[in-house]
Amino acid sequence: MADARPLTLRELRRDLHANPESGWKEFRTTALIAHELDERDYTLHLGADAVDEDARLGVPDEADIANAVARARENGAPESYLERMDDITGLVAEKTYGDGTGPTVGVRVDMDALERSEATDDDHRPARDGFGSTHPNEMHACGHDGHTAIGLGIAREFDENGGFDGTLKLFFQPAEEGGRGGKPMSETDHLADVEYFLALHLGLGNETGMVVAAYEHPLSNAKLDVTFEGAPSHAGNAPNEGRNALQAATTAIQNLYAIPRHADGTTRINVGKVHSPNPQNIVAEEVQMRVEVRGGSAELNEYMLEKARRVVEHAAGMHDVELQTGLYGKTTTFTADDAMIEAVADAASDLDAVSTVVDRADMGGSEDASYLIRRVQENGGEATYIGIGASNPYGHHTARFDIDEDSLNIGVDVVARTVRTL
């Protein structure tokens, strides 16, 4: 059985890096963390007790989930926790420290890997040192293996050193990539009593020793799955008898990029995926697309999403094909709270391993921790999203992404010191 308890944070990060699991498939990762936290007397909420099952987005099909569970079992995932998850990943773990009179503090870390292959040559340290991905087309190319290790490291730190009177809630979130897991986790009751909330991210182009007390203002985002369904026919003998799904898709693509940008702020659109399993001599009967829109505010994002839906609907009507759409993922935006920024900056400044502290920076991309942060703020709490420099030698989501593992202890120490000041 795989066991995180004897592993250092560096060793745990490498174990997770070698066994990456993409969104809604993080069964081994979740079970491994749950096992140690259970031994540490945390109250565990697993699977449907950690996320709103009906609010999940972009969930793989049943066969993919079954294969992911079987693989986790083969790779040593503790069986009892696999059973408790009941085919749904995610974990919220909570424990009261000291006399319990202090605040309830939430910390969110994400667990999922990306669906991409990892570099295998010796110029890539994980491959050279023997902890590269063992799973085809899955890789920790964004640092979530390190985030998960930091989450467990925070529990270890408070158990070993104390110094906090209150309740700690650790949110091990599935399916951040694509913006699929934050919203269903935010719609549970676990955030209702959280007074202070922190999320974090390693790397982001920052050197080890740099801490950003608040990355904020991520772009709101939505990912739309689109399927055009027509009718096939021989492209030479009877082209008039077909209904061309590929023609509808190309019409949609052209007009999606023609959506007017909005005067009120930043808007984005991208068609990132198009697939038609069709030979060249048959009128295409099916095309699948994935479209992404973004906006500088939730309202601008909805403007882009509404326009995108209108474009694909009319492209389908123009070419007499059927249309199916589904929301694959979604995020929103937030502004960090001044008091939390000050608390993080003060805590980070006291650490010898931290050389530079920046109060706030715009995130630029999108992040589904935004839903958890907004939920806490709507309930009267305060929140921030911390950047922990990790000297990543290559960019996020690339085949050669890696982190400086000295950043793991920095992440633990920054969060622990911040929580103690609250």
Side-chain angles (χ1 to χ4, degrees):
M1 183 184 75
D3 192 345
R5 292 174 298 174
L7 303 180
T8 66
L9 292 192
R10 185 185 303 265
E11 291 168 340
L12 174 59
R13 181 258 166 170
R14 293 188 176 198
D15 176 275
L16 298 174
H17 192 91
N19 294 276
E21 299 171 300
S22 57
W24 299 121
K25 300 178 183 179
E26 312 93 332
F27 292 101
R28 182 183 183 274
T29 303
T30 304
L32 205 62
I33 299 303
H35 180 215
E36 177 165 337
L37 292 177
D38 203 3
E39 294 290 314
R40 292 181 175 276
D41 294 325
Y42 272 74
T43 298
L44 304 182
H45 307 275
L46 283 156
D49 290 332
V51 299
D52 183 335
E53 179 179 359
D54 296 330
R56 291 178 301 160
L57 298 169
V59 181
D61 63 34
E62 291 183 4
D64 284 343
I65 293 293
N67 289 336
V69 173
R71 185 180 66 182
R73 185 173 286 115
E74 292 170 3
N75 291 334
E79 181 65 34
S80 63
Y81 302 101
L82 291 179
E83 293 176 358
R84 288 174 63 181
M85 277 184 264
D86 193 23
D87 292 350
I88 300 174
T89 56
L91 167 65
V92 179
E94 58 182 294
K95 184 176 180 178
T96 298
Y97 286 91
D99 61 16
T101 59
T104 297
V105 180
V107 179
R108 176 271 202 179
V109 292
D110 40 13
M111 302 185 293
D112 58 319
L114 280 145
E115 293 181 345
R116 67 148 304 130
S117 297
E118 182 164 14
T120 57
D121 58 88
D122 284 349
D123 290 337
H124 181 53
R125 184 177 63 122
R128 183 179 66 246
D129 292 354
F131 64 96
S133 172
T134 57
H135 299 161
N137 199 39
E138 285 178 294
M139 175 196 173
H140 272 296
C142 199
H144 299 186
D145 49 347
H147 301 170
T148 303
I150 288 173
L152 187 56
I154 291 166
R156 290 176 178 180
E157 207 279 345
F158 280 114
D159 276 0
E160 292 162 10
N161 298 316
F164 166 56
D165 292 321
T167 299
L168 180 65
K169 290 190 176 185
L170 298 171
F171 293 79
F172 290 88
Q173 184 205 302
E176 186 278 331
E177 301 294 351
R180 297 176 286 156
K183 192 172 189 293
M185 186 165 267
S186 75
E187 293 182 6
T188 66
D189 291 333
H190 297 300
L191 291 162
D193 61 347
V194 172
E195 298 164 69
Y196 302 105
F197 187 84
L198 304 102
L200 59 88
H201 207 299
L202 292 166
L204 303 177
N206 298 317
E207 296 299 307
T208 304
M210 181 174 179
V211 172
V212 180
Y215 269 110
E216 57 186 353
H217 307 142
L219 297 177
S220 292
N221 173 287
K223 292 175 175 63
L224 189 67
D225 278 341
V226 178
T227 300
F228 295 104
E229 295 180 345
S233 66
H234 194 286
N237 283 341
N240 56 295
E241 295 179 7
R243 292 184 289 116
N244 198 323
L246 189 56
Q247 198 170 4
T250 57
T251 298
I253 291 169
Q254 181 180 16
N255 287 280
L256 285 166
Y257 282 106
I259 293 173
R261 300 304 175 259
H262 204 290
D264 288 349
T266 300
T267 52
R268 298 279 191 272
I269 189 160
N270 190 56
V271 181
K273 182 178 181 180
V274 181
H275 178 63
S276 179
N278 195 71
Q280 78 285 345
N281 61 348
I282 296 178
V283 172
E285 64 179 306
E286 180 175 303
V287 176
Q288 299 171 344
M289 296 169 36
R290 182 164 295 154
V291 182
E292 176 184 81
V293 298
R294 300 181 193 246
S297 67
E299 292 75 20
L300 289 171
N301 190 53
E302 289 301 319
Y303 160 80
M304 293 298 292
L305 183 58
E306 179 184 348
K307 292 291 187 183
R309 283 176 164 149
R310 183 174 183 272
V311 165
V312 298
E313 178 183 347
H314 286 277
M318 182 182 296
H319 296 284
D320 192 26
V321 302
E322 303 298 320
L323 174 70
Q324 295 181 17
T325 63
L327 199 60
Y328 179 80
K330 197 172 186 182
T331 72
T332 187
T333 190
F334 65 88
T335 299
D337 292 289
D338 291 341
M340 291 297 289
I341 296 171
E342 183 178 352
V344 173
D346 288 348
S349 297
D350 288 338
L351 293 171
D352 292 338
V354 174
S355 56
T356 305
V357 178
V358 175
D359 283 349
R360 50 198 338 149
D362 282 352
M363 187 173 290
S366 301
E367 170 56 70
D368 73 352
S370 53
Y371 279 113
L372 288 84
I373 288 172
R374 289 284 291 268
R375 175 77 186 277
V376 169
Q377 291 174 329
E378 289 165 2
N379 289 338
E382 297 178 320
T384 191
Y385 188 101
I386 307 169
I388 306 292
S391 296
N392 47 294
Y394 292 91
H396 291 257
H397 295 204
T398 65
R400 296 182 180 277
F401 181 82
D402 193 14
I403 58 168
D404 176 0
E405 290 160 333
D406 288 344
S407 64
L408 301 175
N409 284 325
I410 294 175
V412 170
D413 290 343
V414 168
V415 171
R417 281 177 177 260
T418 301
V419 170
R420 289 189 176 102
T421 67
L422 299 174

